[in-house]
Amino acid sequence: MDFPAFVAARSAALFRGALVLTGSREAAEDLLQETLERTCRKWRTIAAKDAPDAYVRRIMVNLANDRWRRFRRTTPHPDGGDRAAPGDEYGQIDSRDQLVRALQQLPMRMRTVVVLRYFHDLSDAEIAADLKISASTVRSQLARGIEKLRSQFPALSGPSPQRPTEGNR
């Protein structure tokens, strides 16, 4: 696969991952652009690898880590606002925004593990290989990350209400 074909096939998924890692559309666009720029410079080496997607994700994660370290003390984090009523279309947008803000509060490695699992559908082994950590570290970071996210959304993390089924009395 040549580089333009790779960009056409994978840029949307990479952008979604960048958006969750950074928390803003502008920062995600910048992160994706820088990732693709570095990928282009090393494309011959990357294309020869068994898993070019993993290599490119690793570039993105490293760049996101660098940005986070550089800007974490200078960028204020807005607090969560009021929640919208369930079923409200704007409320769904607010919920996504709250989720992205909650992800931004996680430590970078924990956030990266959560993003790779739930936004890129990677297994423990794939995440461990991408981040060069053990699978058990992936599982513990994932469990801690999910627990922290659930603590910020207590109404959503409880057991789901049971619906009565037709025909039962």
Side-chain angles (χ1 to χ4, degrees), residues 108-119:
M108 190 63 194
R109 178 176 284 179
M110 195 177 290
R111 180 184 341 154
T112 302
V113 168
V114 171
V115 167
L116 291 176
R117 163 71 75 184
Y118 292 105
F119 290 87

Side-chain angles (χ1 to χ4, degrees), residues 4-16:
F6 176 81
V7 171
R10 300 298 301 148
S11 62
L14 289 169
F15 177 75
R16 286 190 301 272

